[in-house]
């Protein structure tokens, strides 16, 4: 599938609270390094290359970037790369970040932040991005414990003007109920893709009913997770390849297109540090899958 002249607008738009974004966005997790995200000793990406990719993404109509302060390598930080590449920021650019997890200077994971630690994480994102407020902050959750105290702390920061909108990441349905009782939720980020976590379909549908964006992560990588698409294995691969061949598209483009076909409220945030892959990912927003294509992919993914 050709990527010439195709922009992120081809995917259509959705509104996060009062912020309208193209449904095809960009995830910054893999931007600071080559190879697997968060891998010890990963080779940092060339700064100029990373900056060029971010600027090209905006040129291609991407106005929704997903990032986090814990996206960093030995010498590169996604937030600082975004600031260096794009500040002063375009008026329509929405930057979504997430809080909860943290890594020490060596890259090792630390315990997730409690309510009293979240303000420091929010302020860290503000400093790194050079912003006086954050467009969207997602509370990243691990496990099934209640989130009311942590989400409530973020709601207080929203009231204070440091955050515009709130979301959730890696959550269970009851977490959404808890959060909605405290403050509006504009998006839910959970792992989902062709052949990956089909149990998320019910939560995806509920988000659509509530007008909440559902933003899958690992929609290309699938079971490869932080290793990327190269680490993906599964019974769905043959079906993806068949649909890709029929459309003259890549497997990654089919996975992105399938994601966008799951509902008008579903956003895609594929990430890459490669300019060619970036253009191909954006072009996937124009790929229209048939009912037969979707049936084949859905059957293979069960």
């Amino acid at each position: 599938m050709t990527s010439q002249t195709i922009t992120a607008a081809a995917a259509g738009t959705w509104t996060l609270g009062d912020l309208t974004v193209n449904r095809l966005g960009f995830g910054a997790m893999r931007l600071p390094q080559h190879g697997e995200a968060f891998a010890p000793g990963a080779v940092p990406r060339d700064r100029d290359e990373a900056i060029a990719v971010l600027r090209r993404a905006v040129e291609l109509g991407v106005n929704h970037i997903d990032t986090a302060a814990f996206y960093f390598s030995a010498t590169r930080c996604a937030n600082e790369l975004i600031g260096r590449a794009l500040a002063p920021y375009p008026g329509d650019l929405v930057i979504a970040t997430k809080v909860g997890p943290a890594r020490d200077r060596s890259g090792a994971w630390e315990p997730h932040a409690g309510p009293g630690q979240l303000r420091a994480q929010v302020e860290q994102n503000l400093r790194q991005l050079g912003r006086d407020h954050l467009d969207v902050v997602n509370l990243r959750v691990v496990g099934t414990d209640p989130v009311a105290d942590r989400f409530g702390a973020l709601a207080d920061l929203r009231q204070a003007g440091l955050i515009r909108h709130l979301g959730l990441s890696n959550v269970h349905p009851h977490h959404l109920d808890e959060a909605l009782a405290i403050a509006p939720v504009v998006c839910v980020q959970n792992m989902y893709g062709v052949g990956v976590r089909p149990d998320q379909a019910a939560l995806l549908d509920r988000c659509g009913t509530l007008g909440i964006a559902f933003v899958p992560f690992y929609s290309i990588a699938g079971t490869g997770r932080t290793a990327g698409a190269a680490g993906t294995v599964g019974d769905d691969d043959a079906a993806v390849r068949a649909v890709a061949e029929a459309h003259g598209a890549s497997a990654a483009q089919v996975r992105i297109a399938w994601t966008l076909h799951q509902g008008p409220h579903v956003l895609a945030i594929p990430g890459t540090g490669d300019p060619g892959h970036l253009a191909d990912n954006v072009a996937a927003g124009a790929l229209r899958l048939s009912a037969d294509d979707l049936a084949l992919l859905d059957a293979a993914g069960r």
Side-chain angles (χ1 to χ4, degrees):
M1 179 184 179
T2 180
S3 60
Q4 293 181 350
T5 72
I6 298 176
T7 72
T13 62
W14 185 257
T15 302
L16 299 171
D18 60 349
L19 303 171
T20 300
V21 297
N22 289 324
R23 293 175 61 218
L24 198 298
F26 180 84
M29 182 181 72
R30 301 174 60 82
L31 195 62
Q33 76 288 309
H34 293 277
E36 184 170 355
F38 312 127
V43 177
R45 190 172 300 280
D46 178 79
R47 181 183 296 275
D48 291 340
E49 180 183 52
I51 288 173
V53 165
L54 285 163
R55 289 175 176 168
R56 182 57 179 156
V58 171
E59 290 173 355
L60 289 172
V62 170
N63 59 4
H64 172 213
I65 296 177
D66 177 79
T67 186
F70 55 87
Y71 290 173
F72 65 84
S73 63
T75 58
R76 301 284 181 268
C77 168
N79 281 351
E80 292 174 349
L81 289 168
I82 291 167
R84 179 67 63 89
L86 303 177
Y89 295 107
D92 68 339
L93 180 65
V94 174
I95 300 176
T97 189
K98 60 188 70 65
V99 295
R103 299 162 70 204
D104 65 23
R105 293 176 67 87
S106 72
W109 291 102
E110 297 181 334
H112 276 224
Q117 299 168 300
L118 289 174
R119 184 181 183 111
Q121 290 193 351
V122 166
E123 290 178 343
Q124 180 185 27
N125 279 278
L126 288 168
R127 288 194 304 272
Q128 291 177 345
L129 290 165
R131 304 290 296 270
D132 60 5
H133 74 279
L134 299 174
D135 296 324
V136 180
V137 173
N138 294 301
L139 176 64
R140 174 78 171 181
V141 178
V142 173
T144 60
D145 288 347
V147 299
D149 56 350
R150 288 170 285 167
F151 194 79
L154 293 180
D156 289 343
L157 296 178
R158 175 175 172 265
Q159 287 293 324
L162 297 184
I163 300 171
R164 191 161 181 171
H165 297 296
L166 297 172
L168 296 165
S169 177
N170 199 45
V171 293
H172 295 267
H174 69 273
H175 290 140
L176 178 57
D177 293 333
E178 289 179 50
L180 286 171
I182 297 169
V185 174
V186 300
C187 58
V188 170
Q189 289 189 347
N190 275 14
M191 184 174 175
Y192 188 61
V194 179
V196 182
R197 296 297 307 273
D199 60 298
Q200 292 294 302
L203 181 56
L204 181 154
D205 290 344
R206 181 163 183 244
C207 286
T209 299
L210 295 172
I212 296 171
F214 190 85
V215 190
F217 54 82
Y218 299 148
S219 59
I220 295 179
T223 54
R225 300 171 67 91
T226 57
T232 300
V233 294
D235 294 337
D236 54 283
D237 289 346
V240 171
R241 289 196 300 271
V243 173
E245 183 176 351
H247 286 273
S250 69
Q253 287 177 322
V254 169
R255 290 180 182 275
I256 295 169
W258 180 89
T259 297
L260 293 170
H261 276 71
Q262 300 311 297
H265 67 296
V266 180
L267 313 184
I269 49 170
T272 182
D274 182 285
H277 290 167
L278 170 68
D280 288 346
N281 289 348
V282 171
L287 178 56
R288 303 295 182 254
L289 302 180
S290 69
D292 288 344
D293 293 332
L294 293 169
L296 178 63
L297 294 169
D298 291 344
R302 293 195 185 101

